[in-house]
């Protein structure tokens, strides 16, 4: 009988630390799962942000005819007048500013600053009211610089997304 009591006492003594170790292990696993879920959610938000920025930036340029090294000119589509084109460009700028508010929290300060610099640059391409559109050309050097800044932004997004994608796997 003493032999059985001894075994029961040993098992009872080992049971509490075993439960504690198992609980710690499960808590650690839960924490790791939560980290991966947070990284995945951040990745989703970043992808959505990038898509919104690209689509909106493209909307700004839809009425601009650009030939690198030759000209950048706003073309007024048939059925629209100059005021509508200016209004649409200003709406796009407002959308870009709205998106840039979340950039500060989703990406680095460097990307936030670059996005804002691009938006400010785009503002300079909106012609003043009353400008004769038949002769209105955008400053070619500034327009080319804006496109280059956007390409830099794309590369920075790509670098961050590559790193994030590796972390989420």
């Amino acid at each position: 009988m003493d032999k059985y009591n001894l075994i029961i006492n040993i098992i009872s003594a080992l049971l509490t630390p075993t439960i504690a170790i198992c609980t710690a292990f499960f808590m650690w696993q839960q924490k790791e799962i939560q980290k991966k879920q947070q990284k995945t959610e951040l990745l989703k938000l970043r992808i959505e942000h990038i898509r919104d920025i690209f689509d909106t930036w493209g909307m700004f340029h839809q009425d601009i005819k650009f030939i690198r090294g030759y000209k950048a000119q706003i073309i007024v589509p048939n059925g629209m007048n100059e005021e509508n084109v200016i209004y649409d460009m200003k709406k796009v700028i407002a959308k870009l500013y709205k998106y840039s508010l979340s950039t500060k929290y989703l990406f680095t300060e460097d990307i936030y600053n670059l996005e804002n610099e691009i938006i400010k640059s785009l503002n300079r391409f909106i012609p003043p009211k009353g400008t004769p559109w038949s002769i209105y050309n955008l400053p070619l050097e500034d327009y080319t610089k804006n496109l280059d800044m956007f390409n830099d932004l794309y590369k920075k997004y790509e670098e961050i997304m590559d790193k994030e994608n590796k972390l989420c796997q």
Side-chain angles (χ1 to χ4, degrees):
M1 236 3 171
D2 284 336
K3 191 177 189 182
Y4 293 115
N5 281 340
L6 180 63
I7 292 174
I8 291 174
N9 287 339
I10 291 173
I11 291 174
S12 294
L14 293 175
L15 188 60
T16 302
T18 304
I19 291 173
I21 290 170
C22 288
T23 303
F25 176 74
F26 289 132
M27 288 174 61
W28 174 79
Q29 285 252 242
Q30 189 65 28
K31 186 177 178 182
E32 290 300 309
I33 290 170
Q34 188 177 23
K35 281 182 186 177
K36 283 188 178 186
Q37 287 174 336
Q38 288 173 342
K39 287 179 182 179
T40 302
E41 187 61 31
L42 178 61
L43 184 64
K44 287 178 188 176
L45 290 171
R46 284 178 169 175
I47 289 169
E48 184 179 320
H49 175 82
I50 291 169
R51 186 176 38 240
D52 289 342
I53 289 284
F54 285 5
D55 290 347
T56 307
W57 190 83
M59 288 169 45
F60 185 90
H61 297 279
Q62 70 186 0
D63 298 324
I64 297 175
K65 182 179 181 182
F66 174 68
I67 301 171
R68 190 174 283 278
Y70 179 64
K71 75 175 178 178
Q73 185 178 25
I74 296 176
I75 306 297
V76 179
N78 290 335
M80 289 185 77
N81 63 33
E82 291 87 357
E83 298 295 321
N84 291 343
V85 173
I86 291 172
Y87 178 73
D88 288 348
M89 290 176 134
K90 287 183 178 181
K91 277 184 10 185
V92 168
I93 295 291
K95 270 187 178 181
L96 287 171
Y97 273 123
K98 178 183 139 195
Y99 296 140
S100 78
L101 294 174
S102 62
T103 303
K104 200 173 218 176
Y105 305 105
L106 294 174
F107 295 97
T108 63
E109 187 76 22
D110 188 35
I111 288 177
Y112 172 75
N113 292 334
L114 184 55
E115 268 187 26
N116 281 306
E117 190 176 334
I118 289 169
I119 295 168
K120 288 176 189 170
S121 174
L122 290 177
N123 258 324
R124 292 190 293 268
F125 300 136
I126 300 175
K129 291 182 181 182
T131 302
W133 285 68
S134 59
I135 61 167
Y136 188 76
N137 289 312
L138 299 173
L140 185 59
E141 186 177 307
D142 292 343
Y143 192 78
T144 304
K145 182 181 175 191
N146 182 273
L147 293 175
D148 292 341
M149 284 191 301
F150 190 78
N151 288 333
D152 289 344
L153 178 65
Y154 177 81
K155 288 175 189 171
K156 289 178 187 283
Y157 281 149
E158 193 174 45
E159 289 170 5
I160 284 182
M161 298 309 286
D162 284 345
K163 287 178 190 175
E164 289 296 317
N165 190 29
K166 289 174 186 170
L167 291 175
C168 288
Q169 291 178 353

